């Protein structure tokens, strides 16, 4: 009996030890991954804080990417990297571990530099080793560069010339940089330093300062809206900073056009061109800022405007010959060539006055500037609903397809609800002072440009009737009517014609709320 009891006690002790051992290892299996996760999270957050600190204090314009678009090598350790940081101004690429060392040892593009030779100064090449553009050729031997799977060859961040390691002679390191193909568009760093010195001396004859070896200097200013259309603005900003001086490239989500265009006052008169990367709304925003320059008496600094269409409709861009939309199919080098070769044309501008009835007519009328079109009825209602939806949830509007789908949704909704029914009974329309008898309509559209609704030639319709083409420089407005949203859709696919109400120099309507579209304007456009 004693032996049996002793054996029972030993069995109980071993079972307790086994239970505690199971509990211990269970806790280890649960707590250990949690501790490892917390440790990794702590070090990741600490590393991100250090990187952000470097980003804030650095003269480089560092950005982080999870995957480089082409085979890349760290400019410090020369190791192949799939992800890391890059400078959008000079093109330097490094891994996370070498970021601090690269920031200390490599200089970025100098926006402003000291000019030792006065107005006619120059500067040497600024060479960066490795990660040269694909299909580039050596300026010495004319053979292709960057073909070896390692960090090799050099590129000048200003003129974009490339050279092999073995071709990089001492003379190239001290040779004067010509700024390459786009020298007539680039604002040299030494030019800005000369202007800065002139301002200190209280001199304003900037037109006498011409960069070295520039016969036809037409500096360009880039204004990009990173929120327009398919959100390509961020990529374009980096590509333009690589080719030009970063001081002439602006992000309109961080600075207003009025402040960006102040740079025009430091450049030669009537020589500056502005490239607006965005939709028609962004173009209108920039053109309003140009109007403010006229009010301030800066007419001689007014730039000509070119457009890179990134919006949804891009009717103004299409009318002026810049295309219906940009999706990256044309390299930025070709875009800059188009800006250099473009000719100036004139665009009509119109004042739109909206008066709301109030007690004793004390409400001040609102005055807008129009260069696209304005409408009364379903077209205006769709635009208003789209604008309100985009302002509420801007993250959803990331592509032209989504934007057009939202337009289609509101158009379909209006076909069912018909909120603008019997418009002819609520509106009086006068063209050049003569009242027009309206048929049964739901909408009226007043056009200044040829295109409407994302590429439709509204005034000409299907082209089955001999109507003169709508022009943007003839001093006339084209006025048409539509029977509803479904009729608008038929016109866009060329299954129906609009109701042409006439052409006029002045248009007046009354007794109905009006939504003004395409608010923008300028005297000259590229």
């Amino acid at each position: 009996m004693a032996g049996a009891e002793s054996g029972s006690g030993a069995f109980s002790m071993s079972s307790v030890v086994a239970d505690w051992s199971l509990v211990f290892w269970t806790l280890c299996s649960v707590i250990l991954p949690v501790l490892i996760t917390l440790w990794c999270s702590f070090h990741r957050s600490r590393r991100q804080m250090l990187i952000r600190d470097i980003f804030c204090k650095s003269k480089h314009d560092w950005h982080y990417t999870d995957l480089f678009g082409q085979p890349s090598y760290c400019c410090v350790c020369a190791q192949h990297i799939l992800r890391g940081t890059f400078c959008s101004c000079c093109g330097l690429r490094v891994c996370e571990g070498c970021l601090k060392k690269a920031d200390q040892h490599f200089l970025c593009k100098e926006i402003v530099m000291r000019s030792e030779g006065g107005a006619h100064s120059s500067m040497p090449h600024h060479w960066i080793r490795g990660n040269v553009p694909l299909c580039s050729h050596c300026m010495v031997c004319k053979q292709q560069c960057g073909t070896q799977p390692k960090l090799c060859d050099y590129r000048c961040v200003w003129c974009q010339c490339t050279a092999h390691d073995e071709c990089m002679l001492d003379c190239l390191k001290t040779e004067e940089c010509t700024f390459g193909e786009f020298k007539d568009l680039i604002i040299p760093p030494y030019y800005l330093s000369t202007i800065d010195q002139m301002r200190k001396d209280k001199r304003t004859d900037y037109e006498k300062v011409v960069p070295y070896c520039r016969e036809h200097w037409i500096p360009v200013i880039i204004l990009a809206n990173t929120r327009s259309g398919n959100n390509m603005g961020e990529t374009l900003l980096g590509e333009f900073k690589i080719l030009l001086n970063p001081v002439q490239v602006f992000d309109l989500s961080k600075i207003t056009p009025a402040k960006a265009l102040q740079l025009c006052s430091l450049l030669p008169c009537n020589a500056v061109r502005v490239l607006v990367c965005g939709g028609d709304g962004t173009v209108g925003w920039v053109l309003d800022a140009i109007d403010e320059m006229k009010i301030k008496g800066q007419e001689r600094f007014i730039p000509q405007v070119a457009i890179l269409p990134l919006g949804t409709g891009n009717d103004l861009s299409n009318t002026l010959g810049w295309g219906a939309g940009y999706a990256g199919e044309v390299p930025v080098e070709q875009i800059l060539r188009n800006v250099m070769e473009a000719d100036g044309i004139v665009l009509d501008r119109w004042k739109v006055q909206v008066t709301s009835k109030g007690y004793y007519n004390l409400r001040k009328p609102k005055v807008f500037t129009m260069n696209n079109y304005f409408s009364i009825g379903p077209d205006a209602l769709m635009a208003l609903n789209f604008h309100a939806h985009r302002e509420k949830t801007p993250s959803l509007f990331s592509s032209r397809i989504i934007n057009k789908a939202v337009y289609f949704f509101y158009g379909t909704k209006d076909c069912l609800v018909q909120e603008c029914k019997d418009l002819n009974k609520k509106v009086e329309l006068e063209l050049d002072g003569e009242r027009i008898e309206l048929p049964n309509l739901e909408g009226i559209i007043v056009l200044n440009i040829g295109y409407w609704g994302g590429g439709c030639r509204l005034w000409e319709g299907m082209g089955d009737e001999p109507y003169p083409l709508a022009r943007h420089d003839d001093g006339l407005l084209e006025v048409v009517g539509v029977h509803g949203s479904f009729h608008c859709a038929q016109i866009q696919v060329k299954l129906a014609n609009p109701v042409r109400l006439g052409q006029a120099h002045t248009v007046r309507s009354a007794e109905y709320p009006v939504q003004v579209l395409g608010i923008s304007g300028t005297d000259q456009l590229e």
Side-chain angles (χ1 to χ4, degrees):
M1 292 294 293
E5 291 177 357
S6 176
S8 175
F11 178 75
S12 299
M13 287 295 295
S14 61
S15 62
V16 169
V17 172
D19 291 342
W20 279 106
S21 177
L22 180 62
V23 171
F24 172 77
W25 289 111
T26 302
L27 290 175
C28 289
S29 63
V30 173
I31 295 175
L32 187 60
V34 173
L35 293 176
I36 294 175
T37 302
L38 292 175
W39 182 82
C40 293
S41 180
F42 170 76
H43 281 273
R44 187 184 301 111
S45 62
R46 184 181 178 185
R47 185 174 67 253
Q48 291 176 351
M49 288 180 62
L50 293 174
I51 292 176
R52 282 197 298 267
D53 185 60
I54 295 175
F55 281 13
C56 293
K57 297 179 180 179
S58 177
K59 293 183 179 180
H60 289 273
D61 188 17
W62 293 113
H63 294 274
Y64 181 83
T65 180
D66 288 324
L67 182 64
F68 286 107
Q70 67 181 70
S72 302
Y73 300 87
C74 177
C75 292
V76 177
C77 65
Q79 296 297 317
H80 180 262
I81 52 176
L82 295 176
R83 62 180 182 180
T85 55
F86 66 95
C87 177
S88 62
C89 294
C90 65
L92 202 65
R93 301 183 183 185
V94 296
C95 59
E96 289 186 20
C98 299
L99 176 61
K100 186 175 182 180
K101 184 180 295 185
D103 189 67
Q104 294 174 347
H105 291 83
F106 292 97
L107 296 176
C108 191
K109 277 186 173 180
E110 292 185 84
I111 295 175
V112 180
M113 65 179 296
R114 292 184 178 181
S115 176
E116 299 177 357
H120 298 283
S121 184
S122 59
M123 57 182 290
H125 289 288
H126 182 167
W127 297 105
I128 292 290
R129 186 165 185 259
N131 304 308
V132 299
L134 299 175
C135 300
S136 56
H137 293 81
C138 177
M139 63 182 297
V140 178
C141 66
K142 310 303 179 183
Q143 299 298 317
Q144 189 171 353
C145 289
T147 56
Q148 302 181 39
K150 64 178 182 178
L151 186 74
C152 62
D153 303 339
Y154 289 85
R155 174 182 63 88
C156 176
V157 299
W158 286 107
C159 65
Q160 310 305 320
C161 290
T162 55
H164 291 121
D165 290 331
E166 54 272 18
C167 296
M168 179 55 66
L169 306 175
D170 292 336
C171 60
L172 289 180
K173 296 181 180 180
T174 57
E175 185 183 53
E176 293 181 358
C177 180
T178 61
F179 292 93
E181 179 183 1
F182 304 111
K183 63 181 180 180
D184 290 333
L185 299 180
I186 296 175
I187 302 176
Y190 54 78
Y191 173 86
L192 294 176
S193 62
T194 304
I195 297 299
D196 185 55
Q197 184 61 43
M198 294 178 65
R199 295 181 67 182
K200 292 179 180 179
D201 298 338
K202 297 182 179 181
R203 296 167 53 196
T204 58
D205 50 341
Y206 304 144
E207 61 274 6
K208 296 181 180 180
V209 182
V210 180
Y212 181 59
C213 294
R214 304 292 192 278
E215 296 181 1
H216 305 287
W217 191 39
I218 46 173
V220 64
I221 297 176
I222 309 296
L223 304 179
N225 189 351
T226 56
R227 298 178 181 177
S228 292
N230 52 3
N231 295 331
M232 289 193 62
E234 191 74 33
T235 302
L236 288 170
L237 282 172
E239 293 181 351
F240 283 121
K241 286 180 180 179
I242 289 288
L243 297 175
L244 306 172
N245 190 334
V247 77
Q248 58 193 111
V249 182
F250 297 92
D251 184 356
L252 293 182
S253 65
K254 299 178 180 178
I255 187 173
T256 62
K259 291 184 178 180
L261 292 176
Q262 291 178 3
L263 182 60
C264 295
S265 62
L266 304 179
L267 298 170
C269 301
N270 303 318
V272 182
R273 296 188 176 185
V274 173
L275 176 62
V276 182
C277 307
D280 287 349
T282 304
V283 177
W285 190 19
V286 173
L287 299 177
D288 288 341
I290 293 177
D291 288 340
E292 293 179 10
M293 294 177 64
K294 296 179 182 179
I295 296 174
K296 295 177 180 178
Q298 298 178 337
E299 290 87 355
R300 60 190 185 131
F301 299 117
I302 296 298
Q304 291 184 314
V305 179
I307 305 173
L308 182 61
L310 301 182
T312 303
N314 304 309
D315 291 313
L316 180 59
S317 172
N318 205 2
T319 299
L320 300 178
W322 292 102
Y326 178 75
E329 65 278 4
V330 179
V332 292
E333 291 85 356
Q334 184 58 47
I335 295 171
L336 292 177
R337 295 186 193 105
N338 295 339
V339 173
M340 285 193 295
E341 298 169 0
D343 297 322
I345 57 177
V346 178
L347 174 71
D348 291 337
R349 301 174 66 251
W350 301 88
K351 293 294 183 182
V352 180
Q353 179 174 304
V354 181
T355 304
S356 300
K357 285 190 174 182
Y359 296 103
Y360 306 106
N361 293 326
L362 294 178
R363 292 187 179 179
K364 186 177 180 180
K366 297 181 179 179
V367 180
F368 303 95
T369 303
M370 181 200 76
N371 68 340
N372 279 21
Y373 48 81
F374 76 86
S375 60
I376 307 170
D379 181 46
L381 186 61
M382 282 189 291
L384 183 62
N385 290 331
F386 174 84
H387 176 73
H389 196 174
R390 182 166 62 177
E391 288 294 315
K392 186 177 180 181
T393 54
S395 59
L396 298 178
F397 296 83
S398 57
S399 69
R400 294 192 183 101
I401 296 178
I402 295 177
N403 296 349
K404 291 182 178 181
V406 175
Y407 264 111
F408 176 77
F409 167 77
Y410 283 118
T412 305
K413 178 182 176 183
D414 184 71
C415 289
L416 301 176
V417 179
Q418 292 185 322
E419 298 183 38
C420 305
K421 190 177 181 181
D422 297 329
L423 179 70
N424 56 301
K425 299 179 181 179
K426 305 172 184 177
V427 169
E428 295 180 1
L429 180 66
E430 293 182 2
L431 301 183
D432 288 337
E434 181 180 351
R435 184 172 176 179
I436 304 297
E437 292 296 331
L438 296 175
N440 185 17
L441 298 174
E442 289 190 22
I444 297 174
I445 303 172
V446 181
L447 300 161
N448 178 48
I449 60 177
Y451 287 95
W452 163 87
C456 174
R457 300 287 302 191
L458 183 61
W459 176 253
E460 292 84 11
M462 294 186 295
D464 54 351
E465 300 178 31
Y467 276 89
L469 296 178
R471 294 181 58 86
H472 53 271
D473 58 355
D474 58 358
L476 289 173
L477 292 167
E478 287 74 33
V479 186
V480 301
V482 293
H483 296 298
S485 298
F486 186 69
H487 187 207
C488 290
Q490 288 181 310
I491 294 173
Q492 287 184 320
V493 295
K494 297 186 179 299
L495 293 178
N497 282 322
V499 180
R500 298 178 181 87
L501 301 177
Q503 293 177 302
H505 298 88
T506 61
V507 179
R508 181 179 179 273
S509 64
E511 302 297 331
Y512 201 82
V514 178
Q515 171 68 25
V516 182
L517 302 178
I519 302 173
S520 57
T522 190
D523 288 334
Q524 289 187 333
L525 287 178
E526 277 296 294

